[in-house]
Amino acid sequence: MRRIGLLGGTFNPPHNGHLIMANEVYDALGLDEVRFMPNAIPPHKQTAHDATAEDRMIMTGLSIASHEHFKLEPFEIKSGGISYTYETMRRLTASEPDCEFYFIIGGDMIDMLDHWYKIDELMELVKFVGVNRPHSKAETTYPVQIIDAPLIELSSTLIRERVQSNRTITFLVPTEVEQFIREEGLYGTR
C-alpha cells in the first residue's frame, strides 16, 4: 500500500506555512508523497477578490514544483462544484485502492471536525493527521494523529491583506507565487 498524504484547502494563495505543514507530516509519517488538493468551491470559505480556481491551481503547482515528494492533485477543481471531503475521498479511494490516505488538517479544522459533511463515513475512508496552528485548541472526539511541528502564524488571509495594502509578502510565499500574484494582478493589485 502506498501511503499518501492529502492537504486540501483553498490555497488562496498557497503560502510557506502550507509547505512546512506538509513537509513535517511527510517526514514524521514516512509518507510516499503529499498531494496538494485545491478545492473548487469550498463549502465554508468564500471571500471577495478571490483568485479563480485555475489561478489557485497554478499557484499551488508553482509552490510545490521544486519538491519531488509534493504533487498537485487537481481532482476537486476538475470535478467542480462544492468540494465535500467525503465525496472526494469516496471517489479517490475507489479509484486508487492500493493507497492509504492521510488527510492533513490544521488545528482550526480539527476544532470543526464534528461539523464536516458525513464525518463518520469519512473516518472510514481516511486517517486524519493534525498539525497545531496558533489560536486553535485542536480538540475533537474523533481520532486524529497529531504531528508536532513548528507553529507558523501565517494565513492566506494575511497574504491577501498584505497584497491589497501593497506590503511585502517576500518569504511568506514561494517566490514563484509572489511573481504570479503580481503579474496577474491578484487580490486587488491592479
Side-chain angles (χ1 to χ4, degrees):
M1 292 283 275
R2 295 184 67 230
R3 295 161 46 88
I4 308 297
L6 278 174
L7 181 60
T10 54
F11 301 113
N12 189 29
H15 54 70
N16 290 336
H18 294 127
L19 299 174
I20 292 168
M21 189 162 90
N23 195 61
E24 291 293 316
V25 173
Y26 169 82
D27 179 65
L29 298 183
L31 299 177
D32 293 301
E33 67 184 38
V34 175
R35 298 180 191 170
F36 285 63
M37 183 169 60
N39 37 36
I41 302 171
H44 50 76
K45 284 185 179 179
Q46 200 68 13
T47 61
H49 306 296
D50 276 352
T52 66
E54 184 179 337
D55 289 336
R56 293 183 294 106
M57 193 162 67
I58 290 169
M59 287 188 289
T60 303
L62 289 170
S63 72
I64 64 173
S66 64
H67 305 278
E68 66 179 340
H69 52 272
F70 291 171
K71 308 287 184 230
L72 180 64
E73 176 57 77
F75 187 88
E76 288 190 342
I77 287 183
K78 285 183 177 179
S79 298
I82 294 178
S83 300
Y84 289 104
T85 305
Y86 168 74
E87 297 298 338
T88 298
M89 294 315 305
R90 185 178 60 78
R91 291 165 60 200
L92 266 181
T93 55
S95 68
E96 298 185 61
D98 61 331
C99 293
E100 185 173 37
F101 290 99
Y102 294 80
F103 204 86
I104 304 165
I105 57 176
D108 52 336
M109 289 292 111
I110 295 170
D111 294 340
M112 296 175 54
L113 267 182
D114 60 332
H115 300 292
W116 282 35
Y117 176 71
K118 294 195 174 187
I119 185 61
D120 293 322
E121 294 90 337
L122 180 58
M123 285 288 169
E124 300 295 319
L125 300 174
V126 299
K127 296 180 189 313
F128 274 92
V129 180
V131 178
N132 273 326
R133 289 192 65 183
H135 314 296
S136 67
K137 294 178 184 175
E139 294 176 353
T140 183
T141 57
Y142 290 97
V144 176
Q145 182 177 356
I146 303 295
I147 299 299
D148 189 28
L151 289 178
I152 307 294
E153 191 157 0
L154 188 54
S155 70
S156 296
T157 301
L158 171 71
I159 305 301
R160 291 191 306 272
E161 288 170 353
R162 283 188 165 223
V163 170
Q164 288 166 357
S165 59
N166 203 29
R167 295 183 59 213
T168 184
I169 58 171
T170 302
F171 302 118
L172 304 180
V173 299
T175 303
E176 299 83 0
V177 171
E178 181 174 8
Q179 288 171 344
F180 184 83
I181 289 169
R182 305 285 182 206
E183 288 169 7
E184 297 299 315
L186 301 180
Y187 312 120
T189 55
R190 284 197 172 140

